[in-house]
Amino acid sequence: MKILVPVKRVIDYNVKPRVKADGTGVDLANVKMSMNPFDEIAVEEAIRIKEAGKAEEIVAVSVGPAKAQDTLRTALAMGADRAILIETDAEVEPLAVAKILKAIVAEENPGLVILGKQAIDDDSNQTGQMLAALLGRPQGTFASKVEIDGDHVAVTREVDGGLETVKLSLPAIVTTDLRLNEPRYASLPNIMKAKKKQLDVKTAADYGVDIAPRLKTLKVSEPPVRVAGVKVADVDALVAKLKELGVA
Amino acid sequence: MKTLVWVEHDNASVKDATLHTVTAAAKLGEVHLLVAGSGCRAAAEAAAKIAGVAKVHVADNAAYEHALAENVAPLIVELMGHHDAFLAPATTTGKNVAPRVAALLDVMQLSDILSVEGEKTFTRPIYAGNAIATVESSDAKLVITVRGTAFEKAAAEGGSAAIEDVAGAGDAGLSSFVGAELAKSERPELTSAKVIVSGGRALKDSETFEQYIMPLADKLGAAVGASRAAVDAGYVPNDYQVGQTGKIVAPEVYIAVGISGAIQHLAGMKDSKTIIAINKDEDAPIFQVADVGLVADLFSAVPELTGKL
Ligand SMILES: Cc1cc2nc3c(=O)[nH]c(=O)nc-3n(C[C@H](O)[C@H](O)[C@H](O)COP(=O)(O)OP(=O)(O)OC[C@H]3O[C@@H](n4cnc5c(N)ncnc54)[C@H](O)[C@@H]3O)c2cc1C
Ligand SMILES: Nc1ncnc2c1ncn2[C@@H]1O[C@H](COP(=O)(O)O)[C@@H](O)[C@H]1O
């Protein structure tokens, strides 16, 4: 079985995003960029499945600028075998990413596609579900456990009330949640090796996919700011505050 | 515009998340509901009483019992033949189902909307709520998930909508439900609680979390939340996580105990009316958003506080 892992290059999760003064977006100039954390979890899961002898090849895919090659190299250094960059400087919406992935699935025929549940920049939480819909395949979203058993996969999902397990027929789409695994760090030798692994660069047009956006961003603004309040001296003062608020 | 709202229910009653979503839908036009489930007549009758609802579609079929996206998405797509917008609450169910519907309709979903600015214009948070985008859709139909804390609840009583049965294709044969481990708690639900006490990594382990956080929550009649670090370390189950990638809450009072205030945590609670923080580090970022801060060791401060309430 082959596993496809889509990885997105996003602002590093440790960076506090700043809205541009002209209200057109978030300032990404000279900001540290990294692989979307949920996608690291997806890469890790694919590697573990391969290590367990249940997959032969892991292909990482990214839709993004030339710099997204760095993100793909990270995936290769972790243990992916091969990578594909769909290069574009445009911001590609989840629906269009899903259409590109669908075309890649048609070529690569993976048994599993493992995506992150959410990209921490657009916070859309859509791409995996959309890909599953376009392919007419089952989806195991927000996974905290993935168990392959013959031609099925059991996915334990993090849901609002706790956990839920579903059984999907393969091929299937899985999206990762935080508790699925702890991604490994790439070792220095593996980072060196990754430089020699195959990385193909293509465009959306190669797959005949129209990436024109459906949503127009009219404005990006700062959320209402909260100002720090008071510090109280001791527990008695805190009790008084809670009484004032009517909760105690 | 005719809207179709996904009803979150337990077959007998309607969950609050639905009521917030109805308010958002009513800003767009006529509100129709979809109750999909198995033996869900009582939920449909409860849904028909929600104020402002014109019609309730009921799809009662074993295949819809667990809201498997593979089964319910085609049903919704069918109903979207005569509706203009589909709205689901941004719950794990809504987030699972809505994008599947959107892709089948070939439209881009609007995730987690905060406001309705016009027929096709909405605001939504991006970058963990550190920016708010105003976006306009160019699609013929709309698919939307709604952030509950951003919209008031519609009145649960007062309506008398017509109930109409819909068939739907049933089981798509792609997936099946195996089981669930759902937390049972006497405490209020996180997303509708008036007061929340949340604990972070500082609580050390599950026993300590239980010993320090629960009595305080009980005194205040509060729901209990947690940071990702506390969930990852196994102090509490995953459904306690508040944040960018967990639950979004906005109670009257949010008490953060031993939580540093990472942007991913703030994303889930900074719309709380009053934020109270207890942290031993006076420079912890949580104090930058807290209305009331107490710099103290939680292991002495929390028991003292619980005792004095
Ligand atoms: C993709 C991604 C998604 C994420 N999503 C979320 C999310 O949804 N929700 C979330 O919460 N986090 C999320 N995080 C994690 C987030 O970045 C932080 O790591 C996390 O919130 C930290 O949890 P914490 O505040 O409990 O722990 P820490 O940051 O370790 O803070 C512990 C705090 O306790 C204080 N403390 C220690 N001992 C005591 C004591 N005895 N008395 C009083 N105070 C004490 C310390 O001063 C410190 O401020 C996410 C991260 C990533 C990468
Ligand atoms: N541009 C992209 N390139 C590769 N993968 C992506 C891209 N956008 C989204 N994804 C995948 O889809 C997941 C969910 O993203 P989103 O739907 O944007 O929140 C991410 O975690 C990635 O696995």
Side-chain angles (χ1 to χ4, degrees):
Chain A
M1 181 174 83
K2 200 187 278 188
I3 303 179
L4 192 73
V5 186
V7 296
K8 187 177 186 187
R9 178 179 184 263
V10 298
I11 189 168
D12 186 84
Y13 80 96
N14 273 312
V15 177
K16 183 163 159 52
R18 304 254 171 237
V19 173
K20 282 197 246 176
D22 65 1
T24 56
V26 164
D27 194 357
L28 296 177
N30 306 315
V31 164
K32 184 176 179 211
M33 304 291 280
S34 300
M35 188 191 299
N36 183 43
F38 288 101
D39 305 354
E40 285 181 11
I41 297 172
V43 174
E44 176 65 34
E45 194 63 18
I47 297 168
R48 290 189 190 186
I49 293 170
K50 187 181 165 193
E51 285 171 349
K54 295 190 171 174
E56 292 83 48
E57 194 186 23
I58 300 166
V59 182
V61 187
S62 193
V63 179
K67 279 264 184 211
Q69 290 202 19
D70 299 349
T71 313
L72 289 168
R73 291 284 171 208
T74 304
L76 294 170
M78 287 175 74
D81 299 291
R82 186 156 68 75
I84 306 169
L85 171 64
I86 314 306
E87 193 175 326
T88 168
D89 285 326
E91 262 185 58
V92 187
E93 291 172 345
L95 180 63
V97 173
K99 287 179 179 176
I100 293 170
L101 294 174
K102 180 190 176 191
I104 296 174
V105 166
E107 277 184 359
E108 301 278 348
N109 269 311
L112 265 183
V113 185
I114 311 181
L115 306 90
K117 83 162 174 184
Q118 176 173 340
I120 61 163
D121 51 0
D122 62 37
D123 283 332
S124 287
N125 195 333
Q126 301 177 7
T127 310
Q129 298 88 315
M130 287 182 154
L131 176 63
L134 297 177
L135 291 167
R137 289 187 183 171
Q139 63 189 53
T141 53
F142 326 146
S144 69
K145 196 170 171 195
V146 174
E147 282 175 302
I148 294 172
D149 180 13
D151 55 359
H152 283 86
V153 58
V155 178
T156 301
R157 310 179 52 232
E158 293 201 359
V159 294
D160 286 337
L163 296 170
E164 165 186 300
T165 304
V166 291
K167 191 172 161 194
L168 315 175
S169 57
L170 290 172
I173 312 301
V174 167
T175 76
T176 63
D177 216 319
L178 296 169
R179 260 69 61 179
L180 183 56
N181 60 50
E182 251 186 71
R184 69 194 65 191
Y185 290 101
S187 67
L188 200 56
N190 285 344
I191 293 172
M192 299 312 288
K193 262 195 253 164
K195 293 189 175 149
K196 300 203 185 77
K197 289 185 180 173
Q198 182 185 345
L199 193 164
D200 297 321
V201 180
K202 306 214 167 168
T203 66
D206 293 339
Y207 296 99
V209 175
D210 174 11
I211 58 167
R214 306 291 187 82
L215 303 180
K216 189 165 150 200
T217 300
L218 304 178
K219 174 172 90 188
V220 174
S221 52
E222 296 260 6
V225 276
R226 275 194 97 103
V227 279
V230 295
K231 286 220 176 88
V232 292
D234 53 24
V235 170
D236 289 324
L238 182 54
V239 173
K241 280 280 179 195
L242 286 169
K243 290 209 166 117
E244 235 174 78
L245 291 166
V247 295
Chain B
M1 192 184 296
K2 251 203 245 170
T3 70
L4 182 68
V5 170
W6 171 262
V7 174
E8 192 117 344
H9 64 86
D10 58 6
N11 287 316
S13 62
V14 170
K15 299 255 172 89
D16 277 359
T18 309
L19 303 175
H20 298 284
T21 310
V22 164
T23 300
K27 291 181 192 282
L28 289 169
E30 191 175 312
V31 182
H32 293 189
L33 307 182
L34 169 61
V35 176
S38 179
C40 56
R41 195 76 202 174
E45 276 159 16
K49 295 201 187 97
I50 299 172
V53 172
K55 194 186 275 180
V56 178
H57 299 278
V58 195
D60 199 333
N61 184 321
Y64 303 139
E65 182 171 4
H66 300 288
L68 292 170
E70 297 80 3
N71 296 352
V72 296
L75 167 71
I76 297 162
V77 168
E78 200 182 303
L79 286 167
M80 285 304 285
H82 48 96
H83 292 88
D84 308 294
F86 174 68
L87 295 95
T91 55
T92 47
T93 309
K95 290 191 269 199
N96 187 42
V97 170
R100 193 163 178 117
V101 172
L104 292 173
L105 294 171
D106 193 31
V107 311
M108 222 345 254
Q109 171 177 300
L110 296 131
S111 295
D112 222 10
I113 63 160
L114 301 172
S115 70
V116 176
E117 301 289 318
E119 277 238 309
K120 300 227 155 183
T121 309
F122 306 87
T123 61
R124 57 174 303 263
I126 52 176
Y127 293 87
N130 284 291
I132 308 296
T134 305
V135 288
E136 182 185 40
S137 169
S138 62
D139 286 316
K141 297 205 186 245
L142 299 171
V143 174
I144 294 168
T145 61
V146 176
R147 177 172 287 198
T149 54
F151 295 88
E152 296 290 322
K153 273 190 272 186
E157 301 282 338
S160 56
I163 300 181
E164 204 171 277
D165 286 301
V166 288
D171 192 351
L174 294 169
S175 56
S176 57
F177 176 82
V178 177
E181 267 175 65
L182 300 182
K184 279 195 198 71
S185 165
E186 301 297 309
R187 294 196 181 85
E189 241 183 273
L190 256 181
T191 48
S192 49
K194 277 215 158 66
V195 181
I196 294 174
V197 181
S198 266
R201 195 196 308 268
L203 272 304
K204 286 204 174 86
D205 56 36
S206 61
E207 288 79 44
T208 318
F209 195 102
E210 177 80 34
Q211 185 189 339
Y212 286 85
I213 298 296
M214 303 310 182
L216 176 58
D218 290 342
K219 271 274 169 74
L220 296 167
V224 176
S227 71
R228 174 195 174 178
V231 175
D232 281 7
Y235 306 175
V236 287
N238 62 282
D239 51 299
Y240 283 51
Q241 183 180 311
V242 169
Q244 177 188 17
T245 63
K247 287 192 173 126
I248 308 292
V249 300
E252 297 284 317
V253 178
Y254 187 91
I255 307 180
V257 180
I259 292 179
S260 61
I263 60 168
Q264 292 85 4
H265 189 78
L266 300 184
M269 43 64 81
K270 70 179 170 168
D271 291 331
S272 304
K273 203 147 172 216
T274 301
I275 296 173
I276 296 176
I278 302 177
N279 196 304
K280 71 174 182 191
D281 171 10
E282 63 175 333
D283 296 322
I286 190 79
F287 288 125
Q288 290 163 20
V289 300
D291 301 284
V292 183
L294 175 64
V295 181
D297 187 324
L298 78 91
F299 296 111
S300 54
V302 171
E304 186 185 342
L305 175 60
T306 308
K308 286 180 172 165
L309 288 173

